[in-house]
Amino acid sequence: MANEMPGVEGGFGDLPTMTFPQSEAPKGLKVVELVEGDGPIVRRGDTVTVNYHGQVWGGDKAFDSSFERHQPASFGIGVGQVIRGWDQTVPGHNVGSRLLISIPPEYGYGSRGVPQAGIGGDDTLEFVVDIIATR
């Protein structure tokens, strides 16, 4: 089936493992709520604290993972402090949620990519994001 999302193993708080279908990367910006949290809702302009694990579509290792560093990240959401794909998908979800976000280049790092991180200009990025807190 074309445009399937990756499979994700592991629950909220666990280092996720992604498996990729043989199909092409999904088209457009996509978000799937894998675990629905019951905490406060994240709103644009909040400072959100998350754990995340990012892989290039089809890759076998993370290009960045706060899970692997054992260090959650905090930043303003919906205000341009992170890539547009995050700004447009994280708000509206509750603390305690685990999201799977598929981000095409135009919502990520654009046509330049981030070569030093192994991200090409036409790579689709897959993130598993655990929302830990919002304020």
Side-chain angles (χ1 to χ4, degrees):
M1 177 182 200
N3 299 330
E4 291 182 61
M5 295 286 276
V8 177
E9 295 199 20
F12 186 93
D14 298 330
L15 174 66
T17 302
M18 283 191 248
T19 54
F20 294 92
Q22 295 300 309
S23 61
E24 293 181 9
K27 302 294 183 215
L29 184 63
K30 307 260 188 260
V31 62
V32 175
E33 193 170 66
L34 301 172
V35 174
E36 183 179 357
D38 59 4
I41 194 163
V42 176
R43 301 190 188 289
R44 291 188 192 286
D46 284 359
T47 297
V48 67
T49 300
V50 301
N51 259 323
Y52 64 89
H53 186 81
Q55 287 181 233
V56 171
W57 176 268
D60 58 357
K61 63 181 173 62
F63 60 81
D64 191 12
S65 177
S66 68
F67 283 100
E68 290 177 355
R69 287 191 304 275
H70 305 287
Q71 183 66 47
S74 296
F75 44 80
I77 195 72
V79 294
Q81 289 186 8
V82 292
I83 59 175
R84 201 163 55 128
W86 280 50
D87 274 347
Q88 292 190 9
T89 58
V90 174
H93 294 277
N94 298 73
V95 170
S97 295
R98 172 167 271 202
L99 309 177
L100 172 61
I101 306 171
S102 182
I103 301 177
E106 62 270 23
Y107 289 92
Y109 297 104
S111 60
R112 290 186 183 177
V114 184
Q116 63 271 30
I119 300 170
D122 59 354
D123 284 340
T124 295
L125 308 178
E126 301 297 323
F127 285 95
V128 176
V129 178
D130 286 359
I131 304 172
I132 299 169
T134 192
R135 56 180 171 81

